[in-house]
Amino acid sequence: MSLSGSRIEVMRHIEKFVDEKLDKFLRPVDVNWQPSDFLPDSQSPSFLDEIKNIQERARELSYDFWAVLIGDTITEEALPTYESWLMSMEGVNQGDAGGWSKWIRGWTAEENRHGDLLNKFLYLSGMVNMKEVEISTQYLIADGFDIQTGVDPYKNFVYTSFQELATNISHRRVADLAKKQDNPQLAKLCSTIAADEARHAFAYKSFVSQIFKVDPSEMMLAFEDMMKKKIVMPAHYLREMGMDMGKTYSHFSDAAQRLGVYTSKDYVEIMQSLLKDWKIEHITGLNAAGEKARDYLMLLPDRLTRVADRLKIPQLEYRFRWIGM
Ligand SMILES: [Fe+2]
Ligand SMILES: [Fe+2]
């Protein structure tokens, strides 16, 4: 079947698949985890002791670790930007109760717990200047982002597939580091968020797979276009008080590279896993432009690996306004 007419037609066609699979892509609210499952209960008599324990353990974590955890938190807290961006995609209509708007709302509702949980943890840790973090969060939402997808759903789903895999990796690595620092509570919290990201990646990747079935050439071109532009992080405009837009982002990214939480090697590995999951090598029915795009994509991981090998990670520790140590 070929639907290479318009994006809207394809989106309408796939909407039924999304609707039917929603219970695989999302967990029912009543049984889903909530931030309070991982934090001290303020109604409990042991509340203050538990906070003391969190704060003692928090002091064992490094400066870079806090920079990454805070940057991750702010990224998660800028969720309003992501929801409104996705709602504006071609083929999505907020006003109807179709699979697409249900998915975007359900996804937003799950993601909202991530920022909520991390924010509360930062607050309890005693290591963080919360007002500075809140200022960065407000800036980031006000500044928005430009992920270079426009309203094209194909490009957006490449982006979100990539991003959910990237956040899965980074939350998982933060969890590993916390575990090594003998902080099982923080490890559990981050690995629980990471598991959500993996399930969301599965959903977004399956949307792309569905599009490949009906509009392979256009999907291939969209994938190529996104990889040529490079996937930017959702917090690429991150800044602190009194700074220009985007000024803090590279310091956050440097800290993540130093810790090995998210590196340029991970970028290449995500790319490779997408080529494999979407069976790019075996897609049939491509036109000439689609074939050319495929050739470009298949060669990209090797090229990116050579670039990644040459990259040097800045060793300079930047002093963030967020961290009180
Ligand atoms: Fe998240
Ligand atoms: Fe996510």
Side-chain angles (χ1 to χ4, degrees), residues 158-193:
V158 170
Y159 183 86
T160 47
S161 298
F162 200 103
Q163 264 312 316
E164 296 287 354
L165 291 171
T167 47
N168 168 263
I169 291 172
S170 60
H171 289 308
R172 201 154 29 90
R173 298 254 173 82
V174 171
D176 290 346
L177 288 171
K179 206 171 178 183
K180 275 194 202 121
Q181 287 292 326
D182 203 23
N183 197 327
Q185 182 189 24
L186 181 55
K188 182 91 208 323
L189 182 162
C190 293
S191 60
T192 304
I193 295 174

PDB file of all heavy atoms in Angstrom, residues 158-193:
ATOM      1  N   VAL A 158      11.152  11.227  14.048  1.00  0.00           N
ATOM      2  CA  VAL A 158      12.588  10.898  14.068  1.00  0.00           C
ATOM      3  C   VAL A 158      13.205  11.551  15.307  1.00  0.00           C
ATOM      4  O   VAL A 158      13.937  10.918  16.074  1.00  0.00           O
ATOM      5  CB  VAL A 158      13.309  11.402  12.788  1.00  0.00           C
ATOM      6  CG1 VAL A 158      14.821  11.274  12.943  1.00  0.00           C
ATOM      7  CG2 VAL A 158      12.829  10.641  11.558  1.00  0.00           C
ATOM      8  N   TYR A 159      12.864  12.826  15.490  1.00  0.00           N
ATOM      9  CA  TYR A 159      13.414  13.570  16.620  1.00  0.00           C
ATOM     10  C   TYR A 159      13.045  12.914  17.960  1.00  0.00           C
ATOM     11  O   TYR A 159      13.909  12.675  18.804  1.00  0.00           O
ATOM     12  CB  TYR A 159      12.921  15.026  16.606  1.00  0.00           C
ATOM     13  CG  TYR A 159      13.526  15.828  17.726  1.00  0.00           C
ATOM     14  CD1 TYR A 159      14.769  16.439  17.585  1.00  0.00           C
ATOM     15  CD2 TYR A 159      12.877  15.932  18.963  1.00  0.00           C
ATOM     16  CE1 TYR A 159      15.348  17.137  18.638  1.00  0.00           C
ATOM     17  CE2 TYR A 159      13.450  16.626  20.012  1.00  0.00           C
ATOM     18  CZ  TYR A 159      14.688  17.226  19.848  1.00  0.00           C
ATOM     19  OH  TYR A 159      15.258  17.898  20.891  1.00  0.00           O
ATOM     20  N   THR A 160      11.758  12.625  18.137  1.00  0.00           N
ATOM     21  CA  THR A 160      11.325  12.096  19.436  1.00  0.00           C
ATOM     22  C   THR A 160      11.866  10.676  19.656  1.00  0.00           C
ATOM     23  O   THR A 160      12.208  10.325  20.779  1.00  0.00           O
ATOM     24  CB  THR A 160       9.792  12.118  19.579  1.00  0.00           C
ATOM     25  OG1 THR A 160       9.195  11.578  18.400  1.00  0.00           O
ATOM     26  CG2 THR A 160       9.278  13.527  19.784  1.00  0.00           C
ATOM     27  N   SER A 161      11.963   9.881  18.592  1.00  0.00           N
ATOM     28  CA  SER A 161      12.555   8.540  18.737  1.00  0.00           C
ATOM     29  C   SER A 161      13.977   8.679  19.264  1.00  0.00           C
ATOM     30  O   SER A 161      14.400   7.987  20.200  1.00  0.00           O
ATOM     31  CB  SER A 161      12.611   7.796  17.392  1.00  0.00           C
ATOM     32  OG  SER A 161      11.319   7.604  16.872  1.00  0.00           O
ATOM     33  N   PHE A 162      14.715   9.586  18.643  1.00  0.00           N
ATOM     34  CA  PHE A 162      16.102   9.818  19.021  1.00  0.00           C
ATOM     35  C   PHE A 162      16.185  10.321  20.459  1.00  0.00           C
ATOM     36  O   PHE A 162      16.971   9.803  21.280  1.00  0.00           O
ATOM     37  CB  PHE A 162      16.713  10.848  18.060  1.00  0.00           C
ATOM     38  CG  PHE A 162      18.205  10.819  18.021  1.00  0.00           C
ATOM     39  CD1 PHE A 162      18.878  10.220  16.959  1.00  0.00           C
ATOM     40  CD2 PHE A 162      18.957  11.369  19.043  1.00  0.00           C
ATOM     41  CE1 PHE A 162      20.265  10.176  16.923  1.00  0.00           C
ATOM     42  CE2 PHE A 162      20.338  11.329  19.011  1.00  0.00           C
ATOM     43  CZ  PHE A 162      20.991  10.739  17.946  1.00  0.00           C
ATOM     44  N   GLN A 163      15.375  11.315  20.757  1.00  0.00           N
ATOM     45  CA  GLN A 163      15.437  11.951  22.070  1.00  0.00           C
ATOM     46  C   GLN A 163      15.057  11.017  23.213  1.00  0.00           C
ATOM     47  O   GLN A 163      15.664  11.034  24.274  1.00  0.00           O
ATOM     48  CB  GLN A 163      14.503  13.157  22.102  1.00  0.00           C
ATOM     49  CG  GLN A 163      15.190  14.461  21.825  1.00  0.00           C
ATOM     50  CD  GLN A 163      16.449  14.622  22.625  1.00  0.00           C
ATOM     51  OE1 GLN A 163      16.503  14.331  23.818  1.00  0.00           O
ATOM     52  NE2 GLN A 163      17.491  15.081  21.973  1.00  0.00           N
ATOM     53  N   GLU A 164      14.039  10.213  22.990  1.00  0.00           N
ATOM     54  CA  GLU A 164      13.628   9.300  24.066  1.00  0.00           C
ATOM     55  C   GLU A 164      14.735   8.279  24.326  1.00  0.00           C
ATOM     56  O   GLU A 164      14.976   7.890  25.470  1.00  0.00           O
ATOM     57  CB  GLU A 164      12.308   8.603  23.723  1.00  0.00           C
ATOM     58  CG  GLU A 164      11.107   9.543  23.597  1.00  0.00           C
ATOM     59  CD  GLU A 164      10.591  10.101  24.922  1.00  0.00           C
ATOM     60  OE1 GLU A 164      11.059   9.700  25.995  1.00  0.00           O
ATOM     61  OE2 GLU A 164       9.713  10.980  24.878  1.00  0.00           O
ATOM     62  N   LEU A 165      15.421   7.861  23.254  1.00  0.00           N
ATOM     63  CA  LEU A 165      16.553   6.939  23.450  1.00  0.00           C
ATOM     64  C   LEU A 165      17.687   7.643  24.189  1.00  0.00           C
ATOM     65  O   LEU A 165      18.329   7.064  25.077  1.00  0.00           O
ATOM     66  CB  LEU A 165      17.045   6.404  22.102  1.00  0.00           C
ATOM     67  CG  LEU A 165      16.087   5.446  21.383  1.00  0.00           C
ATOM     68  CD1 LEU A 165      16.580   5.151  19.965  1.00  0.00           C
ATOM     69  CD2 LEU A 165      15.926   4.131  22.160  1.00  0.00           C
ATOM     70  N   ALA A 166      17.921   8.909  23.830  1.00  0.00           N
ATOM     71  CA  ALA A 166      18.998   9.669  24.486  1.00  0.00           C
ATOM     72  C   ALA A 166      18.698   9.881  25.971  1.00  0.00           C
ATOM     73  O   ALA A 166      19.582   9.726  26.826  1.00  0.00           O
ATOM     74  CB  ALA A 166      19.196  11.014  23.786  1.00  0.00           C
ATOM     75  N   THR A 167      17.454  10.203  26.292  1.00  0.00           N
ATOM     76  CA  THR A 167      17.123  10.430  27.708  1.00  0.00           C
ATOM     77  C   THR A 167      17.134   9.104  28.473  1.00  0.00           C
ATOM     78  O   THR A 167      17.504   9.074  29.641  1.00  0.00           O
ATOM     79  CB  THR A 167      15.764  11.136  27.896  1.00  0.00           C
ATOM     80  OG1 THR A 167      14.796  10.501  27.079  1.00  0.00           O
ATOM     81  CG2 THR A 167      15.849  12.598  27.536  1.00  0.00           C
ATOM     82  N   ASN A 168      16.764   8.024  27.793  1.00  0.00           N
ATOM     83  CA  ASN A 168      16.865   6.716  28.447  1.00  0.00           C
ATOM     84  C   ASN A 168      18.318   6.447  28.856  1.00  0.00           C
ATOM     85  O   ASN A 168      18.601   6.073  29.998  1.00  0.00           O
ATOM     86  CB  ASN A 168      16.362   5.601  27.522  1.00  0.00           C
ATOM     87  CG  ASN A 168      16.734   4.219  28.047  1.00  0.00           C
ATOM     88  OD1 ASN A 168      17.723   3.618  27.637  1.00  0.00           O
ATOM     89  ND2 ASN A 168      15.975   3.740  29.006  1.00  0.00           N
ATOM     90  N   ILE A 169      19.230   6.686  27.918  1.00  0.00           N
ATOM     91  CA  ILE A 169      20.653   6.462  28.207  1.00  0.00           C
ATOM     92  C   ILE A 169      21.116   7.351  29.356  1.00  0.00           C
ATOM     93  O   ILE A 169      21.735   6.890  30.317  1.00  0.00           O
ATOM     94  CB  ILE A 169      21.514   6.735  26.947  1.00  0.00           C
ATOM     95  CG1 ILE A 169      21.258   5.661  25.894  1.00  0.00           C
ATOM     96  CG2 ILE A 169      22.999   6.808  27.304  1.00  0.00           C
ATOM     97  CD1 ILE A 169      21.916   5.944  24.555  1.00  0.00           C
ATOM     98  N   SER A 170      20.795   8.650  29.272  1.00  0.00           N
ATOM     99  CA  SER A 170      21.363   9.554  30.280  1.00  0.00           C
ATOM    100  C   SER A 170      20.777   9.304  31.677  1.00  0.00           C
ATOM    101  O   SER A 170      21.528   9.259  32.653  1.00  0.00           O
ATOM    102  CB  SER A 170      21.248  11.015  29.855  1.00  0.00           C
ATOM    103  OG  SER A 170      19.911  11.363  29.675  1.00  0.00           O
ATOM    104  N   HIS A 171      19.477   9.072  31.777  1.00  0.00           N
ATOM    105  CA  HIS A 171      18.922   8.777  33.112  1.00  0.00           C
ATOM    106  C   HIS A 171      19.483   7.460  33.649  1.00  0.00           C
ATOM    107  O   HIS A 171      19.722   7.313  34.846  1.00  0.00           O
ATOM    108  CB  HIS A 171      17.391   8.698  33.062  1.00  0.00           C
ATOM    109  CG  HIS A 171      16.706  10.028  32.864  1.00  0.00           C
ATOM    110  ND1 HIS A 171      16.960  11.127  33.652  1.00  0.00           N
ATOM    111  CD2 HIS A 171      15.771  10.438  31.974  1.00  0.00           C
ATOM    112  CE1 HIS A 171      16.202  12.148  33.248  1.00  0.00           C
ATOM    113  NE2 HIS A 171      15.480  11.757  32.227  1.00  0.00           N
ATOM    114  N   ARG A 172      19.666   6.503  32.748  1.00  0.00           N
ATOM    115  CA  ARG A 172      20.197   5.198  33.177  1.00  0.00           C
ATOM    116  C   ARG A 172      21.634   5.336  33.698  1.00  0.00           C
ATOM    117  O   ARG A 172      22.004   4.761  34.712  1.00  0.00           O
ATOM    118  CB  ARG A 172      20.153   4.246  31.970  1.00  0.00           C
ATOM    119  CG  ARG A 172      20.188   2.803  32.314  1.00  0.00           C
ATOM    120  CD  ARG A 172      19.535   1.901  31.267  1.00  0.00           C
ATOM    121  NE  ARG A 172      19.561   2.347  29.893  1.00  0.00           N
ATOM    122  CZ  ARG A 172      20.532   2.068  29.016  1.00  0.00           C
ATOM    123  NH1 ARG A 172      21.589   1.387  29.391  1.00  0.00           N
ATOM    124  NH2 ARG A 172      20.445   2.480  27.773  1.00  0.00           N
ATOM    125  N   ARG A 173      22.425   6.142  32.998  1.00  0.00           N
ATOM    126  CA  ARG A 173      23.820   6.326  33.428  1.00  0.00           C
ATOM    127  C   ARG A 173      23.891   7.076  34.757  1.00  0.00           C
ATOM    128  O   ARG A 173      24.735   6.774  35.605  1.00  0.00           O
ATOM    129  CB  ARG A 173      24.601   7.101  32.360  1.00  0.00           C
ATOM    130  CG  ARG A 173      24.665   6.374  31.037  1.00  0.00           C
ATOM    131  CD  ARG A 173      26.038   5.785  30.786  1.00  0.00           C
ATOM    132  NE  ARG A 173      26.034   4.964  29.586  1.00  0.00           N
ATOM    133  CZ  ARG A 173      26.146   5.440  28.351  1.00  0.00           C
ATOM    134  NH1 ARG A 173      26.307   6.735  28.139  1.00  0.00           N
ATOM    135  NH2 ARG A 173      26.129   4.628  27.315  1.00  0.00           N
ATOM    136  N   VAL A 174      23.022   8.055  34.912  1.00  0.00           N
ATOM    137  CA  VAL A 174      22.988   8.783  36.194  1.00  0.00           C
ATOM    138  C   VAL A 174      22.628   7.793  37.309  1.00  0.00           C
ATOM    139  O   VAL A 174      23.225   7.804  38.392  1.00  0.00           O
ATOM    140  CB  VAL A 174      21.994   9.970  36.152  1.00  0.00           C
ATOM    141  CG1 VAL A 174      21.804  10.576  37.532  1.00  0.00           C
ATOM    142  CG2 VAL A 174      22.482  11.040  35.180  1.00  0.00           C
ATOM    143  N   ALA A 175      21.689   6.900  37.016  1.00  0.00           N
ATOM    144  CA  ALA A 175      21.314   5.874  38.000  1.00  0.00           C
ATOM    145  C   ALA A 175      22.523   4.989  38.348  1.00  0.00           C
ATOM    146  O   ALA A 175      22.770   4.700  39.526  1.00  0.00           O
ATOM    147  CB  ALA A 175      20.175   5.013  37.456  1.00  0.00           C
ATOM    148  N   ASP A 176      23.285   4.592  37.330  1.00  0.00           N
ATOM    149  CA  ASP A 176      24.482   3.760  37.579  1.00  0.00           C
ATOM    150  C   ASP A 176      25.481   4.485  38.473  1.00  0.00           C
ATOM    151  O   ASP A 176      26.060   3.886  39.394  1.00  0.00           O
ATOM    152  CB  ASP A 176      25.178   3.400  36.255  1.00  0.00           C
ATOM    153  CG  ASP A 176      24.348   2.412  35.438  1.00  0.00           C
ATOM    154  OD1 ASP A 176      23.401   1.816  36.003  1.00  0.00           O
ATOM    155  OD2 ASP A 176      24.637   2.253  34.235  1.00  0.00           O
ATOM    156  N   LEU A 177      25.688   5.766  38.185  1.00  0.00           N
ATOM    157  CA  LEU A 177      26.637   6.545  38.996  1.00  0.00           C
ATOM    158  C   LEU A 177      26.155   6.664  40.440  1.00  0.00           C
ATOM    159  O   LEU A 177      26.953   6.541  41.385  1.00  0.00           O
ATOM    160  CB  LEU A 177      26.821   7.945  38.404  1.00  0.00           C
ATOM    161  CG  LEU A 177      27.612   8.036  37.102  1.00  0.00           C
ATOM    162  CD1 LEU A 177      27.521   9.444  36.526  1.00  0.00           C
ATOM    163  CD2 LEU A 177      29.081   7.670  37.341  1.00  0.00           C
ATOM    164  N   ALA A 178      24.857   6.892  40.595  1.00  0.00           N
ATOM    165  CA  ALA A 178      24.298   7.016  41.949  1.00  0.00           C
ATOM    166  C   ALA A 178      24.483   5.698  42.704  1.00  0.00           C
ATOM    167  O   ALA A 178      24.815   5.681  43.889  1.00  0.00           O
ATOM    168  CB  ALA A 178      22.828   7.397  41.880  1.00  0.00           C
ATOM    169  N   LYS A 179      24.276   4.603  42.007  1.00  0.00           N
ATOM    170  CA  LYS A 179      24.433   3.283  42.623  1.00  0.00           C
ATOM    171  C   LYS A 179      25.873   3.079  43.093  1.00  0.00           C
ATOM    172  O   LYS A 179      26.127   2.603  44.201  1.00  0.00           O
ATOM    173  CB  LYS A 179      24.061   2.212  41.597  1.00  0.00           C
ATOM    174  CG  LYS A 179      23.580   0.933  42.209  1.00  0.00           C
ATOM    175  CD  LYS A 179      23.035   0.061  41.121  1.00  0.00           C
ATOM    176  CE  LYS A 179      22.570  -1.269  41.669  1.00  0.00           C
ATOM    177  NZ  LYS A 179      22.113  -2.131  40.580  1.00  0.00           N
ATOM    178  N   LYS A 180      26.808   3.479  42.223  1.00  0.00           N
ATOM    179  CA  LYS A 180      28.226   3.347  42.577  1.00  0.00           C
ATOM    180  C   LYS A 180      28.579   4.202  43.785  1.00  0.00           C
ATOM    181  O   LYS A 180      29.510   3.881  44.532  1.00  0.00           O
ATOM    182  CB  LYS A 180      29.101   3.763  41.382  1.00  0.00           C
ATOM    183  CG  LYS A 180      29.310   2.626  40.416  1.00  0.00           C
ATOM    184  CD  LYS A 180      30.425   2.923  39.428  1.00  0.00           C
ATOM    185  CE  LYS A 180      30.258   2.056  38.204  1.00  0.00           C
ATOM    186  NZ  LYS A 180      30.117   2.803  36.949  1.00  0.00           N
ATOM    187  N   GLN A 181      27.866   5.308  43.939  1.00  0.00           N
ATOM    188  CA  GLN A 181      28.101   6.190  45.087  1.00  0.00           C
ATOM    189  C   GLN A 181      27.281   5.750  46.291  1.00  0.00           C
ATOM    190  O   GLN A 181      27.078   6.543  47.218  1.00  0.00           O
ATOM    191  CB  GLN A 181      27.721   7.632  44.725  1.00  0.00           C
ATOM    192  CG  GLN A 181      28.692   8.323  43.797  1.00  0.00           C
ATOM    193  CD  GLN A 181      30.033   8.580  44.462  1.00  0.00           C
ATOM    194  OE1 GLN A 181      30.109   8.837  45.651  1.00  0.00           O
ATOM    195  NE2 GLN A 181      31.098   8.477  43.692  1.00  0.00           N
ATOM    196  N   ASP A 182      26.774   4.535  46.238  1.00  0.00           N
ATOM    197  CA  ASP A 182      26.007   3.995  47.350  1.00  0.00           C
ATOM    198  C   ASP A 182      24.768   4.844  47.661  1.00  0.00           C
ATOM    199  O   ASP A 182      24.498   5.161  48.820  1.00  0.00           O
ATOM    200  CB  ASP A 182      26.928   3.888  48.583  1.00  0.00           C
ATOM    201  CG  ASP A 182      26.392   2.858  49.565  1.00  0.00           C
ATOM    202  OD1 ASP A 182      25.626   1.971  49.129  1.00  0.00           O
ATOM    203  OD2 ASP A 182      26.707   2.967  50.769  1.00  0.00           O
ATOM    204  N   ASN A 183      24.086   5.217  46.611  1.00  0.00           N
ATOM    205  CA  ASN A 183      22.864   6.009  46.784  1.00  0.00           C
ATOM    206  C   ASN A 183      21.709   5.290  46.063  1.00  0.00           C
ATOM    207  O   ASN A 183      21.250   5.720  44.996  1.00  0.00           O
ATOM    208  CB  ASN A 183      23.071   7.415  46.208  1.00  0.00           C
ATOM    209  CG  ASN A 183      22.033   8.398  46.709  1.00  0.00           C
ATOM    210  OD1 ASN A 183      20.879   8.021  46.952  1.00  0.00           O
ATOM    211  ND2 ASN A 183      22.415   9.648  46.859  1.00  0.00           N
ATOM    212  N   PRO A 184      21.227   4.170  46.658  1.00  0.00           N
ATOM    213  CA  PRO A 184      20.223   3.352  45.962  1.00  0.00           C
ATOM    214  C   PRO A 184      18.910   4.086  45.727  1.00  0.00           C
ATOM    215  O   PRO A 184      18.230   3.833  44.731  1.00  0.00           O
ATOM    216  CB  PRO A 184      20.023   2.152  46.900  1.00  0.00           C
ATOM    217  CG  PRO A 184      20.564   2.561  48.219  1.00  0.00           C
ATOM    218  CD  PRO A 184      21.610   3.605  47.966  1.00  0.00           C
ATOM    219  N   GLN A 185      18.580   5.013  46.608  1.00  0.00           N
ATOM    220  CA  GLN A 185      17.313   5.730  46.433  1.00  0.00           C
ATOM    221  C   GLN A 185      17.325   6.573  45.147  1.00  0.00           C
ATOM    222  O   GLN A 185      16.400   6.508  44.336  1.00  0.00           O
ATOM    223  CB  GLN A 185      17.060   6.638  47.645  1.00  0.00           C
ATOM    224  CG  GLN A 185      15.737   7.371  47.551  1.00  0.00           C
ATOM    225  CD  GLN A 185      15.565   8.426  48.629  1.00  0.00           C
ATOM    226  OE1 GLN A 185      16.544   8.938  49.171  1.00  0.00           O
ATOM    227  NE2 GLN A 185      14.327   8.753  48.918  1.00  0.00           N
ATOM    228  N   LEU A 186      18.411   7.319  44.981  1.00  0.00           N
ATOM    229  CA  LEU A 186      18.524   8.144  43.774  1.00  0.00           C
ATOM    230  C   LEU A 186      18.652   7.257  42.533  1.00  0.00           C
ATOM    231  O   LEU A 186      18.115   7.576  41.463  1.00  0.00           O
ATOM    232  CB  LEU A 186      19.733   9.086  43.908  1.00  0.00           C
ATOM    233  CG  LEU A 186      20.002  10.040  42.749  1.00  0.00           C
ATOM    234  CD1 LEU A 186      18.783  10.891  42.416  1.00  0.00           C
ATOM    235  CD2 LEU A 186      21.200  10.948  43.067  1.00  0.00           C
ATOM    236  N   ALA A 187      19.356   6.138  42.678  1.00  0.00           N
ATOM    237  CA  ALA A 187      19.505   5.207  41.550  1.00  0.00           C
ATOM    238  C   ALA A 187      18.145   4.682  41.103  1.00  0.00           C
ATOM    239  O   ALA A 187      17.830   4.635  39.920  1.00  0.00           O
ATOM    240  CB  ALA A 187      20.425   4.050  41.942  1.00  0.00           C
ATOM    241  N   LYS A 188      17.320   4.343  42.080  1.00  0.00           N
ATOM    242  CA  LYS A 188      15.986   3.791  41.776  1.00  0.00           C
ATOM    243  C   LYS A 188      15.135   4.846  41.062  1.00  0.00           C
ATOM    244  O   LYS A 188      14.460   4.565  40.063  1.00  0.00           O
ATOM    245  CB  LYS A 188      15.323   3.358  43.097  1.00  0.00           C
ATOM    246  CG  LYS A 188      13.957   2.731  42.957  1.00  0.00           C
ATOM    247  CD  LYS A 188      14.124   1.236  42.815  1.00  0.00           C
ATOM    248  CE  LYS A 188      13.094   0.470  42.056  1.00  0.00           C
ATOM    249  NZ  LYS A 188      11.810   0.572  41.954  1.00  0.00           N
ATOM    250  N   LEU A 189      15.204   6.035  41.576  1.00  0.00           N
ATOM    251  CA  LEU A 189      14.428   7.147  41.022  1.00  0.00           C
ATOM    252  C   LEU A 189      14.790   7.387  39.543  1.00  0.00           C
ATOM    253  O   LEU A 189      13.916   7.470  38.677  1.00  0.00           O
ATOM    254  CB  LEU A 189      14.767   8.322  41.921  1.00  0.00           C
ATOM    255  CG  LEU A 189      14.302   9.727  41.951  1.00  0.00           C
ATOM    256  CD1 LEU A 189      14.642  10.301  43.312  1.00  0.00           C
ATOM    257  CD2 LEU A 189      14.922  10.508  40.879  1.00  0.00           C
ATOM    258  N   CYS A 190      16.088   7.414  39.265  1.00  0.00           N
ATOM    259  CA  CYS A 190      16.518   7.705  37.889  1.00  0.00           C
ATOM    260  C   CYS A 190      16.253   6.518  36.959  1.00  0.00           C
ATOM    261  O   CYS A 190      15.900   6.714  35.795  1.00  0.00           O
ATOM    262  CB  CYS A 190      17.998   8.078  37.855  1.00  0.00           C
ATOM    263  SG  CYS A 190      18.327   9.641  38.672  1.00  0.00           S
ATOM    264  N   SER A 191      16.418   5.293  37.468  1.00  0.00           N
ATOM    265  CA  SER A 191      16.195   4.146  36.580  1.00  0.00           C
ATOM    266  C   SER A 191      14.701   3.984  36.292  1.00  0.00           C
ATOM    267  O   SER A 191      14.319   3.497  35.226  1.00  0.00           O
ATOM    268  CB  SER A 191      16.808   2.863  37.140  1.00  0.00           C
ATOM    269  OG  SER A 191      16.232   2.558  38.379  1.00  0.00           O
ATOM    270  N   THR A 192      13.861   4.424  37.209  1.00  0.00           N
ATOM    271  CA  THR A 192      12.416   4.366  36.958  1.00  0.00           C
ATOM    272  C   THR A 192      12.032   5.345  35.847  1.00  0.00           C
ATOM    273  O   THR A 192      11.249   5.016  34.955  1.00  0.00           O
ATOM    274  CB  THR A 192      11.645   4.699  38.256  1.00  0.00           C
ATOM    275  OG1 THR A 192      12.074   3.797  39.274  1.00  0.00           O
ATOM    276  CG2 THR A 192      10.150   4.568  38.061  1.00  0.00           C
ATOM    277  N   ILE A 193      12.625   6.529  35.887  1.00  0.00           N
ATOM    278  CA  ILE A 193      12.377   7.496  34.802  1.00  0.00           C
ATOM    279  C   ILE A 193      12.905   6.935  33.481  1.00  0.00           C
ATOM    280  O   ILE A 193      12.236   7.013  32.444  1.00  0.00           O
ATOM    281  CB  ILE A 193      13.039   8.857  35.129  1.00  0.00           C
ATOM    282  CG1 ILE A 193      12.380   9.489  36.358  1.00  0.00           C
ATOM    283  CG2 ILE A 193      12.946   9.808  33.935  1.00  0.00           C
ATOM    284  CD1 ILE A 193      13.038  10.770  36.855  1.00  0.00           C
TER     285      ILE A 193
END
